[in-house]
Amino acid sequence: MLNNVMLAAAWFVAPLFAPSKIAQAYVLAAAVVVAGTVQILVQLPMLRRLGYRFDYNWPAAREGVLQVGRNLAPMLFGLAVTQINTFNDSLIARGLEANSSAPQPMSWLGGAVDYPMQQGAITVLYYGERFYELPVGIVGMAVAVAIFPLLSRHATRGNLRQLGADMTLGLRLVTCLSIPAGVGLMLLADPIARLVLKSGHFGEADTLRAAQVIAWYSTGVWAYCAAPVVVRGFYAMGNAATPVRIAAWMVGLNLLLNFTLIWPMHESGLALSTSIAAAVQLVVLTIAFSRSEARLDWRQLSATTARTLVATAAMASAAYATLQWMPAKDSFADKLLQVGGPIACGMAIYCGVYLLLGGRELGMLLSGRSDE
């Protein structure tokens, strides 16, 4: 509903205010508020049918609400570290972006050093973030939200063995989807950028820069998707402090990497820094959770990862071969085929190879239940 309302505003309402671009921008901004409201309202009838009723008994709810309030800030920081890092990326790009497409010395450093990025860096970073957030929203956040009540139930009952088993299963589900999604996005970064972005003032050079940023952000998709699952495991155990401490270190690591990579790699260095910080965060979070909260089944995780890597390699080979056969033309239909053809072929190969290797996670996702 959220997306449908915003798309309807962009397609049908905003054009009524042409040619005023400012008025159209206000329409799109208002549509975000309306869409969020609609997204809430459409759920209320279903909740009522399920027996939910609003209760205004503040004395009974007071302690729970206060506890939520106390935990809110650290929880948000622990979950939003990647968003914080990408926000810092945009601030650095804004401050260190030249005013032209040619190399330009930084006068406030005596003119001895050129600006590390050309004009348009903020724009290509913005679009790169939008693309990597697609698999994160579909895979990572979906699994994290779905598994959180289950983890909380195990934590409340003190059943740490089952909590570790379900956390392991959640990570396996994320792994078998996020790794091929990230590799596929890397492989198709250029045709996707050409399909979605190349038009009007967004020229060939801009498209190539955006594709490079998309590809470097995509190297961390597996970590972006898995980190919210592990963080919610800590929250289920009532431990909000550990994710916050790790997140703070990762923000610092990202800033250090930004200023290390930004001159040799330009805006792509900012994207790679965020991916590296996300990968380190996931590794540290996972080890800390297994040691201090509930033991994970590393054997199963390793087996799932190995199957996923083999199937992803087969997928990437098939998608790359398909891409070479696609017509190298610039019409919208041809560009759509250059993206859709490799995706369809790659998905079919990945699923087939994964199932042949004995992977059951895809079947669990399709059936909606675990057979373990």
Side-chain angles (χ1 to χ4, degrees):
M1 294 303 300
L2 182 81
N3 290 324
N4 287 339
V5 171
M6 291 191 292
L7 288 171
W11 283 336
F12 304 116
V13 182
L16 300 178
F17 292 83
S20 174
K21 301 296 184 182
I22 295 177
Q24 291 180 327
Y26 277 109
V27 169
L28 297 179
V32 175
V33 179
V34 174
T37 304
V38 170
Q39 187 181 32
I40 295 174
L41 294 178
V42 296
Q43 298 178 71
L44 297 182
M46 183 183 298
L47 285 171
R48 187 171 182 84
R49 287 195 301 270
L50 294 172
Y52 176 81
R53 297 293 183 273
F54 283 101
D55 187 349
Y56 301 97
N57 186 351
W58 168 246
R62 181 175 181 274
E63 182 55 36
V65 172
L66 291 177
Q67 182 179 357
V68 170
R70 288 190 295 267
N71 293 333
L72 183 60
M75 286 185 174
L76 288 176
F77 186 76
L79 283 170
V81 62
T82 297
Q83 286 71 29
I84 293 171
N85 285 338
T86 53
F87 177 69
N88 289 338
D89 293 348
S90 65
L91 291 180
I92 293 171
R94 185 175 297 277
L96 297 179
E97 177 190 67
N99 294 323
S100 68
S101 58
Q104 190 175 6
M106 301 169 67
S107 58
W108 49 279
L109 286 181
V113 179
D114 287 341
Y115 279 95
M117 289 172 291
Q118 300 174 357
Q119 191 175 44
I122 299 172
T123 302
V124 297
L125 281 171
Y126 172 82
Y127 286 123
E129 294 166 13
R130 302 286 80 73
F131 285 105
Y132 87 72
E133 286 176 353
L134 177 63
V136 175
I138 293 175
V139 178
M141 297 309 298
V143 174
V145 171
I147 202 174
F148 185 51
L150 188 60
L151 299 178
S152 299
R153 190 179 308 129
H154 295 323
T156 301
R157 296 172 179 173
N159 190 350
L160 299 185
R161 187 190 65 79
Q162 192 59 45
L163 189 150
D166 286 336
M167 173 63 77
T168 300
L169 178 59
L171 289 174
R172 288 166 55 200
L173 295 175
V174 168
T175 296
C176 77
L177 294 178
S178 62
I179 291 179
V183 171
L185 196 54
M186 289 174 59
L187 183 65
L188 298 177
D190 186 72
I192 288 174
R194 293 179 184 280
L195 172 65
V196 179
L197 301 177
K198 189 180 178 183
S199 63
H201 296 292
F202 212 96
E204 178 68 25
D206 302 315
T207 303
L208 179 60
R209 292 171 66 190
Q212 292 172 342
V213 169
I214 294 169
W216 285 115
Y217 269 134
S218 300
T219 61
V221 163
W222 60 279
Y224 308 145
C225 290
V229 178
V230 184
V231 169
R232 278 173 169 79
F234 280 102
Y235 294 162
M237 294 295 293
N239 181 357
T242 298
V244 168
R245 287 196 297 268
I246 295 173
W249 281 103
M250 292 308 106
V251 171
L253 174 62
N254 181 67
L255 289 173
L256 176 63
L257 290 170
N258 280 341
F259 290 108
T260 302
L261 298 175
I262 191 173
W263 267 273
M265 297 182 64
H266 314 297
E267 59 268 7
S268 294
L270 298 176
L272 178 58
S273 299
T274 300
S275 295
I276 294 173
V280 174
Q281 179 199 18
L282 176 62
V283 171
V284 175
L285 279 171
T286 306
I287 294 174
F289 183 86
S290 187
R291 288 181 176 177
S292 64
E293 307 299 337
R295 181 167 293 279
L296 302 176
D297 190 332
W298 295 104
R299 183 186 61 80
Q300 287 192 352
L301 279 175
S302 299
T304 297
T305 302
R307 281 193 296 267
T308 300
L309 291 175
V310 172
T312 299
M315 175 205 77
S317 300
Y320 180 79
T322 305
L323 184 61
Q324 304 312 303
W325 297 336
M326 295 292 104
K329 298 180 181 179
D330 209 32
S331 68
F332 177 78
D334 288 322
K335 289 191 289 187
L336 184 61
L337 187 61
Q338 291 164 13
V339 173
I343 288 177
C345 180
M347 287 178 62
I349 294 296
Y350 176 81
C351 292
V353 173
Y354 195 84
L355 293 174
L356 285 175
L357 293 173
R360 292 177 292 171
E361 291 81 6
L362 294 178
M364 296 179 198
L365 290 166
L366 292 174
S367 65
R369 64 178 185 270
S370 170
D371 56 358
E372 299 183 352

